[in-house]
């Protein structure tokens, strides 16, 4: 102890008996075996949760956009496809205005009248129109 | 064997050997620490068994944030305080009749009459002051060590020790005349 001695004492041989009694504790109270899986799972759980949230977010986003496209589109063409096509094909193209086949026609046939209409609208010369009318 | 060697033993998987080393290193010193707080050999003997079972059970969770000595003392002190709460049932100031009886009737007390009165004076202190006084006066721990065990600032501990000293002085003056 210290220079300020405790006035207490212990029975003879007490500490030897105490130590041997305390050293038996591990045998009398075995520790639970460490399980590696729970520790690993505890470590990776936040990352798995983050990945699951991201996947859920992507799935919800894809579902939402797909549904929106289906609602807004016409004739099975999504609004994005329409936007893309409108950029690629100018609606001033005379072929699209006059030459596109109608839904009612089973086959694509060009009549003389169609040719004439096309020539007139495309600004062809009078000689060429006259020539075509003579054919 | 020092604390670092004990912990190396533990980490190498030789757990029982590490625990035995802790028992050999600390059991006797821990006995006096607990005995000074309980004032009873029998209570201390029972408590030490519980304390070391707790140490054994908690060792896998010990991460070395504090040193081993401080960690063990903290477990022992908390366990002893819980025991005193249950036993004395009045943590307020003044010696409990049970405590006085234990000091007067202790067959393992071999001090002088003045030392017996000193024991009573210490036992009459509030538990926090009692612990500070015991650890500083009998165990000669530094204020920094006591601070780590009790989680109190060094300034607060010095104040507690000073107040405890004044109360003990008053108690002894009245008791011894």
């Amino acid at each position: 102890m210290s220079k300020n001695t405790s006035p207490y004492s212990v029975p003879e041989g007490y500490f030897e008996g105490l130590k041997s009694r305390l050293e038996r504790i591990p045998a009398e109270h075995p520790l639970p075996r460490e399980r590696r899986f729970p520790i690993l799972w505890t470590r990776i759980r936040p990352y798995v949760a983050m990945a699951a949230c991201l996947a859920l977010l992507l799935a919800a986003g894809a579902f939402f956009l797909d549904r929106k496209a289906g609602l807004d589109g016409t004739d099975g063409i999504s609004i994005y496809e329409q936007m893309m096509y409108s950029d690629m094909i100018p609606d001033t193209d005379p072929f699209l205005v006059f030459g596109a086949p109608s839904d009612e026609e089973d086959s694509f046939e060009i009549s003389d009248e169609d040719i004439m209409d096309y020539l007139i609208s495309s600004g062809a010369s009078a000689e060429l129109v006259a020539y075509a009318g003579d054919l | 064997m020092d604390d670092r060697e004990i912990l190396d033993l533990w980490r190498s998987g030789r757990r029982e050997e590490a625990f035995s080393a802790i028992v050999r290193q600390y059991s006797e010193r821990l006995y006096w620490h607990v005995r000074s707080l309980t004032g009873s050999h029998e209570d201390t003997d029972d408590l030490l068994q519980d304390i070391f079972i707790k140490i054994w059970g908690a060792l896998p969770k010990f991460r070395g944030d504090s040193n081993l000595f401080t960690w063990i003392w903290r477990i022992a002190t908390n366990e002893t305080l819980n025991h005193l709460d249950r036993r004395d049932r009045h943590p307020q100031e003044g010696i409990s009749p049970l405590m006085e009886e234990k000091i007067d009737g202790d067959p393992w007390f071999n001090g002088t009459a003045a030392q017996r009165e000193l024991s009573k004076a210490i036992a009459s202190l509030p538990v926090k002051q009692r612990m500070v006084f015991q650890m500083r006066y009998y165990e000669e721990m530094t204020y920094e060590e006591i601070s780590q065990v009790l989680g109190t600032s060094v300034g607060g501990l010095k104040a507690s020790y000073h107040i405890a000293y004044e109360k003990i002085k008053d108690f002894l003056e009245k008791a011894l005349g």
Side-chain angles (χ1 to χ4, degrees):
Chain A
M1 253 330 246
S2 67
K3 63 179 182 284
N4 300 316
T5 316
S6 169
Y8 299 107
S9 64
V10 293
E12 188 75 25
Y14 170 73
F15 285 118
E16 288 71 29
L18 174 71
K19 284 173 190 169
S20 63
R21 181 157 51 93
L22 296 177
E23 284 178 351
R24 286 198 297 272
I25 286 174
E28 293 163 359
H29 299 84
L31 292 174
R33 291 185 63 183
E34 279 188 30
R35 289 159 60 190
R36 291 237 169 244
F37 174 72
I39 292 170
L40 180 67
W41 170 244
T42 306
R43 282 184 182 166
I44 65 168
R45 189 165 50 189
Y47 302 106
V48 173
M50 275 166 50
C53 286
L54 189 64
L56 190 66
L57 203 63
L58 288 174
F63 175 75
F64 175 74
L65 288 176
D66 189 48
R67 190 158 179 268
K68 190 168 174 16
L71 286 173
D72 292 350
T74 53
D75 298 331
I77 302 172
S78 76
I79 192 160
Y80 301 105
E81 287 169 311
Q82 286 181 41
M83 285 164 67
M84 185 176 70
Y85 292 149
S86 67
D87 268 347
M88 291 168 67
I89 306 169
D91 59 5
T92 53
D93 189 339
F95 177 77
L96 283 179
V97 176
F98 300 106
S102 66
D103 290 339
E104 290 77 27
E105 289 172 343
D106 292 330
S107 61
F108 183 70
E109 287 179 8
I110 300 173
S111 65
D112 292 339
E113 192 180 343
D114 290 333
I115 293 170
M116 189 57 66
D117 287 341
Y118 173 73
L119 289 172
I120 292 167
S121 68
S122 64
S125 65
E127 290 79 4
L128 184 58
V129 173
Y131 174 75
D134 291 338
L135 289 176
Chain B
M1 188 176 281
D2 62 22
D3 287 358
R4 192 180 52 78
E5 289 170 321
I6 292 173
L7 290 174
D8 285 345
L9 261 182
W10 177 270
R11 287 176 189 132
S12 69
R14 294 153 71 187
R15 296 177 161 195
E16 286 78 8
E17 286 178 57
F19 183 75
S20 291
I22 290 173
V23 169
R24 286 194 301 275
Q25 185 82 5
Y26 289 116
S27 60
E28 190 166 338
R29 197 173 161 191
L30 211 51
Y31 171 90
W32 292 114
H33 173 66
V34 176
R35 175 83 183 264
S36 66
L37 294 171
T38 63
S40 157
H41 170 71
E42 284 74 23
D43 287 4
T44 305
D45 190 51
D46 290 342
L47 263 174
L48 275 181
Q49 180 79 13
D50 295 342
I51 288 166
F52 273 91
I53 288 172
K54 285 223 162 149
I55 291 170
W56 169 245
L59 264 172
K61 298 187 189 94
F62 179 69
R63 296 282 173 248
D65 299 332
S66 57
N67 66 48
L68 189 61
F69 164 81
T70 306
W71 182 75
I72 289 172
W73 248 243
R74 204 179 296 145
I75 291 176
T77 304
N78 287 338
E79 194 69 13
T80 307
L81 287 181
N82 290 337
H83 170 81
L84 291 176
D85 274 350
R86 287 193 302 269
R87 190 190 75 179
D88 294 352
R89 292 181 183 280
H90 78 126
Q92 67 269 26
E93 206 159 339
I95 186 167
S96 70
L98 183 63
M99 191 70 165
E100 192 166 10
E101 188 184 313
K102 279 185 182 288
I103 293 171
D104 282 336
D106 189 349
W108 304 108
F109 184 92
N110 58 359
T112 62
Q115 283 176 315
R116 191 182 293 276
E117 291 306 318
L118 175 61
S119 293
K120 288 181 187 176
I122 294 169
S124 73
L125 295 171
V127 73
K128 180 79 178 286
Q129 289 172 17
R130 193 193 317 174
M131 286 192 300
V132 175
F133 189 85
Q134 294 279 9
M135 285 192 257
R136 184 79 191 114
Y137 183 75
Y138 284 120
E139 300 178 46
E140 296 183 342
M141 289 168 67
T142 64
Y143 282 116
E144 285 72 22
E145 286 173 328
I146 301 171
S147 167
Q148 287 167 6
V149 172
L150 299 181
T152 310
S153 70
V154 169
L157 292 174
K158 285 180 178 173
S160 289
Y161 185 85
H162 178 72
I163 295 166
Y165 168 80
E166 291 295 334
K167 285 181 180 172
I168 289 169
K169 201 171 130 192
D170 285 349
F171 187 101
L172 290 178
E173 280 173 358
K174 283 178 195 161
L176 301 173

